[in-house]
Amino acid sequence: MARNYVHTLFSDAARALQAEDGSREAYARMEEGADGIPDQLTAKEAEFIAARDSFYLGTVTPDGWPYVQHRGGPAGFLKVLPGNRLGFADYRGNRQHVTTANLDADPRLSLFLIDYPNRRRLKLLGHGRVVRADEDPALLAALMPEGYRALGERATVIDVVGFDWNCPQHITPRFTEAEIADVIQPLAHQITQLRAEADALHAQLARKNPGE
């Protein structure tokens, strides 16, 4: 069980509210054994992460404001690295540099990954650092998705502190264009075949009954 995630997030105030609400006993069991050692990613998390084509990234400004940014790319652009780490390439964008500045000041971050069709979500906590292209070009090259036409300017490397799987409640299933195409393609092929068979049958009937 991944215990360090809840242990990291539960403040004394949160625990007090849980006790008041009657949920503290259950959450205390979830925290049992937590000793500050990061939750270790397993094959289950790695497979889930490799299938995602987007995630939400939360950081905090130096003034304490929360900032959430959407990151997207080809499926698997967020990569699991050795040492319980994650990494992704940062492409040229609007050049606001809010997330980069936030991580330079405070490395703590949160990731939120959602699988809408299967109604699953994974939350992660970690410490992130930004690696500029001239600092480690090999790292950036390794994190760039193969064949993806984008200019990588920097890499973000995340040391995972904890993670938690959430329940599927209130996740509305949504499907990408590619996922819909996978379902529709066999049906479209079948329709094409049926039309061809219908045309052949009409032609055969016309030959048998040329005067009609």
Short mmCIF file of all heavy atoms in Angstrom, two decimals, residues 10-59:
data_model
loop_
_atom_site.label_atom_id
_atom_site.label_comp_id
_atom_site.label_asym_id
_atom_site.label_seq_id
_atom_site.Cartn_x
_atom_site.Cartn_y
_atom_site.Cartn_z
N PHE A 10 -1.63 14.67 5.09
CA PHE A 10 -2.48 14.83 6.27
C PHE A 10 -1.78 15.70 7.31
O PHE A 10 -0.79 15.29 7.93
CB PHE A 10 -2.83 13.48 6.89
CG PHE A 10 -3.80 12.66 6.09
CD1 PHE A 10 -4.05 11.34 6.44
CD2 PHE A 10 -4.47 13.20 5.01
CE1 PHE A 10 -4.95 10.57 5.71
CE2 PHE A 10 -5.36 12.44 4.29
CZ PHE A 10 -5.61 11.12 4.63
N SER A 11 -2.30 16.90 7.51
CA SER A 11 -1.81 17.76 8.58
C SER A 11 -2.53 17.41 9.87
O SER A 11 -3.51 16.65 9.87
CB SER A 11 -2.06 19.23 8.22
OG SER A 11 -3.46 19.47 8.11
N ASP A 12 -2.06 17.97 10.99
CA ASP A 12 -2.75 17.74 12.26
C ASP A 12 -4.18 18.27 12.18
O ASP A 12 -5.11 17.66 12.75
CB ASP A 12 -2.00 18.41 13.40
CG ASP A 12 -0.69 17.71 13.72
OD1 ASP A 12 -0.54 16.53 13.33
OD2 ASP A 12 0.20 18.34 14.34
N ALA A 13 -4.36 19.38 11.47
CA ALA A 13 -5.70 19.95 11.33
C ALA A 13 -6.60 19.01 10.53
O ALA A 13 -7.78 18.82 10.87
CB ALA A 13 -5.62 21.32 10.66
N ALA A 14 -6.06 18.40 9.48
CA ALA A 14 -6.85 17.47 8.68
C ALA A 14 -7.22 16.24 9.50
O ALA A 14 -8.35 15.74 9.42
CB ALA A 14 -6.07 17.07 7.43
N ARG A 15 -6.25 15.75 10.30
CA ARG A 15 -6.53 14.59 11.13
C ARG A 15 -7.61 14.90 12.17
O ARG A 15 -8.45 14.06 12.49
CB ARG A 15 -5.25 14.11 11.81
CG ARG A 15 -4.20 13.56 10.82
CD ARG A 15 -2.99 13.01 11.56
NE ARG A 15 -1.99 12.52 10.63
CZ ARG A 15 -0.93 13.21 10.20
NH1 ARG A 15 -0.73 14.45 10.66
NH2 ARG A 15 -0.08 12.69 9.35
N ALA A 16 -7.58 16.11 12.69
CA ALA A 16 -8.60 16.51 13.67
C ALA A 16 -9.99 16.54 13.02
O ALA A 16 -10.98 16.10 13.62
CB ALA A 16 -8.25 17.87 14.26
N LEU A 17 -10.06 17.05 11.81
CA LEU A 17 -11.35 17.09 11.10
C LEU A 17 -11.82 15.68 10.76
O LEU A 17 -13.03 15.39 10.80
CB LEU A 17 -11.21 17.93 9.83
CG LEU A 17 -11.07 19.44 10.04
CD1 LEU A 17 -10.76 20.14 8.73
CD2 LEU A 17 -12.35 20.02 10.66
N GLN A 18 -10.89 14.79 10.43
CA GLN A 18 -11.25 13.40 10.16
C GLN A 18 -11.83 12.75 11.42
O GLN A 18 -12.82 12.00 11.35
CB GLN A 18 -10.03 12.63 9.68
CG GLN A 18 -9.54 13.04 8.29
CD GLN A 18 -8.15 12.52 8.00
OE1 GLN A 18 -7.60 11.69 8.74
NE2 GLN A 18 -7.55 13.00 6.91
N ALA A 19 -11.21 13.03 12.56
CA ALA A 19 -11.71 12.47 13.82
C ALA A 19 -13.12 13.00 14.11
O ALA A 19 -14.00 12.25 14.55
CB ALA A 19 -10.76 12.83 14.95
N GLU A 20 -13.32 14.28 13.83
CA GLU A 20 -14.63 14.89 14.05
C GLU A 20 -15.68 14.30 13.13
O GLU A 20 -16.86 14.15 13.51
CB GLU A 20 -14.50 16.40 13.82
CG GLU A 20 -15.76 17.20 14.06
CD GLU A 20 -15.52 18.68 13.80
OE1 GLU A 20 -14.50 19.21 14.28
OE2 GLU A 20 -16.36 19.29 13.10
N ASP A 21 -15.26 13.90 11.91
CA ASP A 21 -16.19 13.40 10.92
C ASP A 21 -16.34 11.88 10.95
O ASP A 21 -17.12 11.32 10.19
CB ASP A 21 -15.72 13.84 9.52
CG ASP A 21 -16.82 13.77 8.49
OD1 ASP A 21 -17.98 14.07 8.82
OD2 ASP A 21 -16.51 13.41 7.33
N GLY A 22 -15.57 11.21 11.81
CA GLY A 22 -15.70 9.77 11.95
C GLY A 22 -14.89 8.95 10.96
O GLY A 22 -15.05 7.73 10.90
N SER A 23 -14.00 9.58 10.20
CA SER A 23 -13.21 8.85 9.21
C SER A 23 -11.77 8.62 9.64
O SER A 23 -11.01 7.96 8.93
CB SER A 23 -13.22 9.60 7.87
OG SER A 23 -12.62 10.88 8.00
N ARG A 24 -11.40 9.15 10.80
CA ARG A 24 -9.99 9.11 11.19
C ARG A 24 -9.48 7.68 11.37
O ARG A 24 -8.34 7.36 11.00
CB ARG A 24 -9.77 9.89 12.50
CG ARG A 24 -8.33 9.91 12.98
CD ARG A 24 -7.41 10.51 11.95
NE ARG A 24 -6.03 10.07 12.13
CZ ARG A 24 -5.17 9.96 11.13
NH1 ARG A 24 -5.52 10.24 9.90
NH2 ARG A 24 -3.94 9.55 11.36
N GLU A 25 -10.29 6.79 11.92
CA GLU A 25 -9.84 5.42 12.18
C GLU A 25 -9.42 4.74 10.88
O GLU A 25 -8.37 4.07 10.81
CB GLU A 25 -10.94 4.62 12.86
CG GLU A 25 -10.51 3.21 13.26
CD GLU A 25 -11.59 2.47 14.02
OE1 GLU A 25 -12.57 3.11 14.46
OE2 GLU A 25 -11.45 1.24 14.18
N ALA A 26 -10.22 4.90 9.84
CA ALA A 26 -9.90 4.28 8.55
C ALA A 26 -8.63 4.88 7.96
O ALA A 26 -7.76 4.17 7.45
CB ALA A 26 -11.05 4.45 7.57
N TYR A 27 -8.50 6.20 8.04
CA TYR A 27 -7.31 6.85 7.47
C TYR A 27 -6.06 6.58 8.30
O TYR A 27 -4.96 6.56 7.77
CB TYR A 27 -7.55 8.35 7.32
CG TYR A 27 -8.47 8.68 6.17
CD1 TYR A 27 -9.64 9.43 6.37
CD2 TYR A 27 -8.20 8.23 4.88
CE1 TYR A 27 -10.48 9.72 5.33
CE2 TYR A 27 -9.04 8.52 3.83
CZ TYR A 27 -10.18 9.27 4.05
OH TYR A 27 -11.02 9.56 3.01
N ALA A 28 -6.25 6.37 9.59
CA ALA A 28 -5.10 6.02 10.44
C ALA A 28 -4.51 4.68 10.00
O ALA A 28 -3.28 4.50 10.01
CB ALA A 28 -5.52 5.98 11.90
N ARG A 29 -5.38 3.76 9.61
CA ARG A 29 -4.88 2.47 9.11
C ARG A 29 -4.10 2.64 7.83
O ARG A 29 -3.11 1.94 7.58
CB ARG A 29 -6.06 1.50 8.91
CG ARG A 29 -6.66 0.98 10.21
CD ARG A 29 -7.54 -0.24 9.95
NE ARG A 29 -8.70 0.09 9.13
CZ ARG A 29 -9.87 0.49 9.61
NH1 ARG A 29 -10.05 0.61 10.92
NH2 ARG A 29 -10.88 0.75 8.80
N MET A 30 -4.54 3.59 6.99
CA MET A 30 -3.83 3.85 5.74
C MET A 30 -2.44 4.41 6.01
O MET A 30 -1.50 4.18 5.24
CB MET A 30 -4.62 4.84 4.87
CG MET A 30 -5.91 4.29 4.30
SD MET A 30 -6.81 5.51 3.33
CE MET A 30 -5.64 5.81 2.00
N GLU A 31 -2.30 5.14 7.11
CA GLU A 31 -1.01 5.76 7.44
C GLU A 31 -0.07 4.81 8.19
O GLU A 31 1.11 5.12 8.34
CB GLU A 31 -1.23 7.01 8.29
CG GLU A 31 -1.69 8.21 7.53
CD GLU A 31 -1.61 9.47 8.37
OE1 GLU A 31 -0.52 10.09 8.42
OE2 GLU A 31 -2.63 9.83 9.01
N GLU A 32 -0.59 3.71 8.68
CA GLU A 32 0.24 2.80 9.48
C GLU A 32 1.48 2.37 8.72
O GLU A 32 1.41 1.94 7.57
CB GLU A 32 -0.58 1.56 9.86
CG GLU A 32 -1.55 1.79 11.00
CD GLU A 32 -2.30 0.52 11.36
OE1 GLU A 32 -1.96 -0.55 10.80
OE2 GLU A 32 -3.23 0.58 12.19
N GLY A 33 2.60 2.50 9.38
CA GLY A 33 3.86 2.08 8.77
C GLY A 33 4.53 3.14 7.94
O GLY A 33 5.65 2.94 7.45
N ALA A 34 3.87 4.28 7.73
CA ALA A 34 4.49 5.35 6.96
C ALA A 34 5.67 5.92 7.75
O ALA A 34 5.54 6.30 8.91
CB ALA A 34 3.48 6.46 6.67
N ASP A 35 6.84 5.95 7.12
CA ASP A 35 8.03 6.42 7.81
C ASP A 35 8.76 7.49 7.02
O ASP A 35 9.92 7.80 7.29
CB ASP A 35 8.98 5.24 8.06
CG ASP A 35 9.25 4.43 6.80
OD1 ASP A 35 8.87 4.90 5.70
OD2 ASP A 35 9.84 3.34 6.91
N GLY A 36 8.08 8.06 6.02
CA GLY A 36 8.69 9.11 5.22
C GLY A 36 9.44 8.59 4.00
O GLY A 36 9.88 9.38 3.16
N ILE A 37 9.59 7.27 3.90
CA ILE A 37 10.25 6.70 2.72
C ILE A 37 9.27 6.79 1.55
O ILE A 37 8.11 6.42 1.68
CB ILE A 37 10.65 5.24 2.97
CG1 ILE A 37 11.70 5.17 4.08
CG2 ILE A 37 11.18 4.60 1.69
CD1 ILE A 37 12.09 3.76 4.47
N PRO A 38 9.72 7.29 0.40
CA PRO A 38 8.80 7.47 -0.74
C PRO A 38 8.10 6.18 -1.14
O PRO A 38 8.66 5.08 -1.06
CB PRO A 38 9.73 7.95 -1.86
CG PRO A 38 10.87 8.62 -1.15
CD PRO A 38 11.06 7.82 0.10
N ASP A 39 6.86 6.33 -1.57
CA ASP A 39 6.12 5.20 -2.15
C ASP A 39 6.81 4.82 -3.45
O ASP A 39 7.11 5.67 -4.29
CB ASP A 39 4.68 5.60 -2.45
CG ASP A 39 3.91 6.01 -1.20
OD1 ASP A 39 4.18 5.44 -0.13
OD2 ASP A 39 3.04 6.90 -1.30
N GLN A 40 7.05 3.54 -3.64
CA GLN A 40 7.76 3.07 -4.81
C GLN A 40 6.78 2.72 -5.94
O GLN A 40 5.84 1.95 -5.76
CB GLN A 40 8.59 1.83 -4.46
CG GLN A 40 9.68 2.09 -3.43
CD GLN A 40 10.71 3.10 -3.92
OE1 GLN A 40 11.33 2.90 -4.96
NE2 GLN A 40 10.90 4.16 -3.17
N LEU A 41 7.02 3.31 -7.10
CA LEU A 41 6.21 3.01 -8.27
C LEU A 41 6.36 1.54 -8.64
O LEU A 41 7.45 0.99 -8.59
CB LEU A 41 6.62 3.88 -9.45
CG LEU A 41 6.45 5.39 -9.27
CD1 LEU A 41 7.09 6.12 -10.44
CD2 LEU A 41 4.98 5.77 -9.15
N THR A 42 5.26 0.93 -9.03
CA THR A 42 5.28 -0.47 -9.44
C THR A 42 4.94 -0.56 -10.93
O THR A 42 4.70 0.45 -11.60
CB THR A 42 4.26 -1.30 -8.63
OG1 THR A 42 2.93 -0.91 -9.04
CG2 THR A 42 4.43 -1.06 -7.14
N ALA A 43 4.90 -1.78 -11.43
CA ALA A 43 4.56 -2.00 -12.84
C ALA A 43 3.15 -1.48 -13.14
O ALA A 43 2.88 -1.02 -14.26
CB ALA A 43 4.66 -3.48 -13.18
N LYS A 44 2.26 -1.53 -12.16
CA LYS A 44 0.88 -1.04 -12.36
C LYS A 44 0.88 0.44 -12.66
O LYS A 44 0.23 0.90 -13.62
CB LYS A 44 0.05 -1.33 -11.11
CG LYS A 44 -1.37 -0.77 -11.17
CD LYS A 44 -2.12 -1.02 -9.86
CE LYS A 44 -3.51 -0.40 -9.90
NZ LYS A 44 -4.24 -0.60 -8.62
N GLU A 45 1.63 1.22 -11.85
CA GLU A 45 1.68 2.66 -12.08
C GLU A 45 2.41 2.98 -13.39
O GLU A 45 1.99 3.86 -14.15
CB GLU A 45 2.38 3.38 -10.92
CG GLU A 45 1.58 3.45 -9.64
CD GLU A 45 1.50 2.12 -8.91
OE1 GLU A 45 2.57 1.44 -8.80
OE2 GLU A 45 0.42 1.74 -8.45
N ALA A 46 3.49 2.24 -13.66
CA ALA A 46 4.27 2.49 -14.87
C ALA A 46 3.42 2.26 -16.12
O ALA A 46 3.48 3.04 -17.08
CB ALA A 46 5.50 1.59 -14.90
N GLU A 47 2.62 1.20 -16.12
CA GLU A 47 1.76 0.90 -17.27
C GLU A 47 0.70 1.99 -17.45
O GLU A 47 0.42 2.41 -18.58
CB GLU A 47 1.08 -0.46 -17.06
CG GLU A 47 0.19 -0.88 -18.22
CD GLU A 47 -0.48 -2.23 -17.98
OE1 GLU A 47 -0.33 -2.78 -16.86
OE2 GLU A 47 -1.15 -2.72 -18.90
N PHE A 48 0.14 2.44 -16.36
CA PHE A 48 -0.88 3.49 -16.41
C PHE A 48 -0.28 4.79 -16.95
O PHE A 48 -0.86 5.45 -17.83
CB PHE A 48 -1.45 3.72 -15.01
CG PHE A 48 -2.57 4.72 -14.96
CD1 PHE A 48 -3.88 4.36 -15.24
CD2 PHE A 48 -2.31 6.04 -14.60
CE1 PHE A 48 -4.91 5.29 -15.17
CE2 PHE A 48 -3.33 6.97 -14.54
CZ PHE A 48 -4.63 6.60 -14.83
N ILE A 49 0.88 5.17 -16.43
CA ILE A 49 1.54 6.40 -16.85
C ILE A 49 1.90 6.35 -18.34
O ILE A 49 1.74 7.32 -19.08
CB ILE A 49 2.79 6.66 -15.99
CG1 ILE A 49 2.35 6.99 -14.55
CG2 ILE A 49 3.64 7.79 -16.56
CD1 ILE A 49 3.49 6.96 -13.55
N ALA A 50 2.39 5.20 -18.79
CA ALA A 50 2.82 5.05 -20.18
C ALA A 50 1.66 5.20 -21.17
O ALA A 50 1.88 5.52 -22.34
CB ALA A 50 3.50 3.70 -20.38
N ALA A 51 0.45 4.98 -20.71
CA ALA A 51 -0.71 5.06 -21.59
C ALA A 51 -1.33 6.45 -21.64
O ALA A 51 -2.20 6.71 -22.48
CB ALA A 51 -1.77 4.06 -21.15
N ARG A 52 -0.88 7.37 -20.80
CA ARG A 52 -1.50 8.69 -20.73
C ARG A 52 -0.91 9.63 -21.79
O ARG A 52 0.29 9.64 -22.04
CB ARG A 52 -1.30 9.31 -19.35
CG ARG A 52 -1.78 8.47 -18.19
CD ARG A 52 -3.27 8.55 -17.94
NE ARG A 52 -4.10 7.99 -18.99
CZ ARG A 52 -4.31 6.67 -19.17
NH1 ARG A 52 -3.74 5.78 -18.38
NH2 ARG A 52 -5.08 6.24 -20.13
N ASP A 53 -1.80 10.46 -22.35
CA ASP A 53 -1.35 11.48 -23.30
C ASP A 53 -1.50 12.89 -22.73
O ASP A 53 -1.33 13.88 -23.44
CB ASP A 53 -2.10 11.36 -24.63
CG ASP A 53 -3.62 11.52 -24.47
OD1 ASP A 53 -4.08 11.84 -23.35
OD2 ASP A 53 -4.33 11.32 -25.48
N SER A 54 -1.82 12.97 -21.45
CA SER A 54 -1.89 14.28 -20.79
C SER A 54 -1.93 14.09 -19.28
O SER A 54 -2.22 13.00 -18.78
CB SER A 54 -3.12 15.07 -21.25
OG SER A 54 -4.31 14.48 -20.75
N PHE A 55 -1.63 15.16 -18.58
CA PHE A 55 -1.78 15.17 -17.12
C PHE A 55 -1.85 16.62 -16.67
O PHE A 55 -1.60 17.56 -17.44
CB PHE A 55 -0.62 14.44 -16.43
CG PHE A 55 0.74 15.04 -16.66
CD1 PHE A 55 1.24 16.06 -15.86
CD2 PHE A 55 1.55 14.56 -17.68
CE1 PHE A 55 2.49 16.61 -16.07
CE2 PHE A 55 2.81 15.09 -17.90
CZ PHE A 55 3.28 16.12 -17.10
N TYR A 56 -2.22 16.81 -15.40
CA TYR A 56 -2.27 18.14 -14.80
C TYR A 56 -1.14 18.25 -13.79
O TYR A 56 -0.92 17.33 -12.98
CB TYR A 56 -3.63 18.39 -14.15
CG TYR A 56 -4.77 18.36 -15.14
CD1 TYR A 56 -5.48 17.17 -15.36
CD2 TYR A 56 -5.11 19.49 -15.87
CE1 TYR A 56 -6.51 17.13 -16.29
CE2 TYR A 56 -6.15 19.45 -16.80
CZ TYR A 56 -6.83 18.27 -17.01
OH TYR A 56 -7.84 18.22 -17.94
N LEU A 57 -0.46 19.37 -13.83
CA LEU A 57 0.72 19.60 -13.00
C LEU A 57 0.47 20.79 -12.08
O LEU A 57 0.19 21.90 -12.56
CB LEU A 57 1.94 19.86 -13.90
CG LEU A 57 3.22 20.36 -13.24
CD1 LEU A 57 3.75 19.33 -12.25
CD2 LEU A 57 4.27 20.67 -14.31
N GLY A 58 0.55 20.56 -10.78
CA GLY A 58 0.33 21.62 -9.81
C GLY A 58 1.62 22.03 -9.12
O GLY A 58 2.38 21.18 -8.65
N THR A 59 1.87 23.33 -9.07
CA THR A 59 3.02 23.89 -8.35
C THR A 59 2.52 25.08 -7.53
O THR A 59 1.33 25.42 -7.55
CB THR A 59 4.12 24.35 -9.33
OG1 THR A 59 3.57 25.29 -10.27
CG2 THR A 59 4.70 23.16 -10.09
#
